Amino acid sequence: MGVVHDGQDGRYERAHRPARSEEKSPADRRSGIRLAALRLFAEQGYRSTTMTDIGAAVGIRGPSLYKHVASKHELLAEIMIGTMEQLIADNIAAVSGTDDVREQLRRSVEAHIRYHARHRLEAFVGNREIGNLDPPDQERVLGRRSDYERRYRELIERGAAEGAFEVRSARIASYSILDMGIGVASWFHEGGEFSVDQLAYQYGDIALRIVSAD
């Protein structure tokens, strides 16, 4: 397919693209770029991915890509921070609506499992590429990770104080529960033996056993 050069703004466009009025909005375009970057980071790693690779994946050539995003590091930070913010939001929603500590832990774990089953690429990139984030973005992600783990730990500590749970270390229990969910991203696939909901419920059972819920 040939390439057409728009002499007015220096933008390169493929000849088959629709007129500007039909093109995607800036928000849609950025979302598409972020998704392309996520897939490339997962497939070939952050360091091996170039901005040219990302631009090619969404059909944007040369400098035009920089109209939408400043750098691939910006994309990595956005992906990883967004992942943690979504996990925290899911956790907040999960524990609302009930004061029963057992039910709160189960719902939290189910939300954790559902996210990692449905967002495998985000989970994979988030765990593998943390070392490639520069400060202060790395600190922002690590801070959110600590906040997320603390929510589970404090829930387990409250359950132990109420006599609902029995654990030697709430921290180790929280790490164990979170690691289970992270592992789901490495093997789960739609259409397998279990649905996402079935998987989430079973992991909820396992989490309650970890804390020896009565």
Side-chain angles (χ1 to χ4, degrees), residues 27-158:
D28 288 341
R29 177 62 75 186
R30 185 177 178 87
S31 178
I33 293 170
R34 185 172 59 248
L35 179 58
L38 172 65
R39 289 171 174 166
L40 287 167
F41 294 160
E43 290 170 4
Q44 59 193 42
Y46 171 78
R47 290 189 178 276
S48 296
T49 299
T50 67
M51 286 291 277
T52 300
D53 295 331
I54 297 170
V58 293
I60 300 178
R61 296 171 61 91
S64 294
L65 183 61
Y66 290 93
K67 295 179 180 179
H68 304 282
V69 59
S71 67
K72 70 172 185 174
H73 184 272
E74 179 179 279
L75 288 166
L76 180 64
E78 187 174 308
I79 289 166
M80 296 182 71
I81 293 170
T83 293
M84 290 313 307
E85 289 181 344
Q86 186 60 59
L87 282 166
I88 292 170
D90 289 349
N91 179 264
I92 292 171
V95 300
S96 64
T98 180
D99 293 325
D100 185 275
V101 71
R102 302 172 193 81
E103 187 64 19
Q104 286 182 325
L105 182 60
R106 171 180 284 283
R107 292 182 185 183
S108 294
V109 172
E110 289 182 359
H112 184 66
I113 297 299
R114 287 190 176 96
Y115 183 89
H116 285 83
R118 290 170 173 159
H119 299 86
R120 298 173 63 198
L121 296 184
E122 288 90 340
F124 182 69
V125 169
N127 282 285
R128 185 179 67 180
E129 304 293 356
I130 184 66
N132 284 317
L133 276 181
D134 297 331
D137 290 319
Q138 187 179 79
E139 284 76 14
R140 293 171 66 192
V141 172
L142 292 175
R144 285 162 174 78
R145 285 188 177 183
S146 295
D147 178 36
Y148 188 58
E149 184 275 329
R150 177 184 55 79
R151 292 171 182 275
Y152 281 83
R153 178 164 31 93
E154 290 181 351
L155 192 60
I156 294 168
E157 289 172 345
R158 179 163 66 83

Side-chain angles (χ1 to χ4, degrees), residues 7-21:
Q8 294 181 345
D9 61 8
R11 182 174 57 185
Y12 286 85
E13 298 184 355
R14 294 185 182 275
H16 68 277
R17 286 189 180 179
R20 291 181 188 173
S21 61

